[in-house]
Amino acid sequence: MPDFVTLDMIEKWKDRFDRELQSIRSSNKLALLFDTNKHNFESIQCLKILREYLTDNKFLKSRFSRAALVAPARFLAPHIKS
């Protein structure tokens, strides 16, 4: 993905990634770490769409044992530390 990511780019990426996933011929379960920290997103909606795609995609669920999405720091809610 480019440095600045829009909602339209996410939708196009999902289509391309679906095609790439279908080309995987491995019978082993795979893990996917999706680090979005190095990109500037148009809005938090981009991250919500990515998270939904990673968690609800039936093909991903059947091929991947787990998927993780690392969110950019500017979109994280503040955490209270004692």
Side-chain angles (χ1 to χ4, degrees), residues 50-61:
L50 281 173
R51 182 177 294 122
E52 182 180 299
Y53 172 79
L54 292 172
T55 57
D56 295 342
N57 185 298
K58 291 177 184 175
F59 188 80
L60 281 172
K61 285 181 181 180

Side-chain angles (χ1 to χ4, degrees), residues 20-75:
E20 289 179 30
L21 286 174
Q22 291 173 7
S23 70
I24 296 173
R25 300 288 181 226
S26 173
S27 61
N28 296 331
K29 290 281 188 174
L30 304 169
L32 175 66
L33 175 61
F34 204 91
D35 187 354
T36 59
N37 231 351
K38 297 187 187 222
H39 302 282
N40 184 17
F41 290 89
E42 171 179 59
S43 68
I44 197 166
Q45 189 63 28
C46 292
L47 295 168
K48 289 179 180 180
I49 289 171
L50 281 173
R51 182 177 294 122
E52 182 180 299
Y53 172 79
L54 292 172
T55 57
D56 295 342
N57 185 298
K58 291 177 184 175
F59 188 80
L60 281 172
K61 285 181 181 180
S62 70
R63 289 291 183 99
F64 287 81
S65 61
R66 68 187 69 190
L69 177 68
V70 178
R74 74 181 187 112
F75 288 116

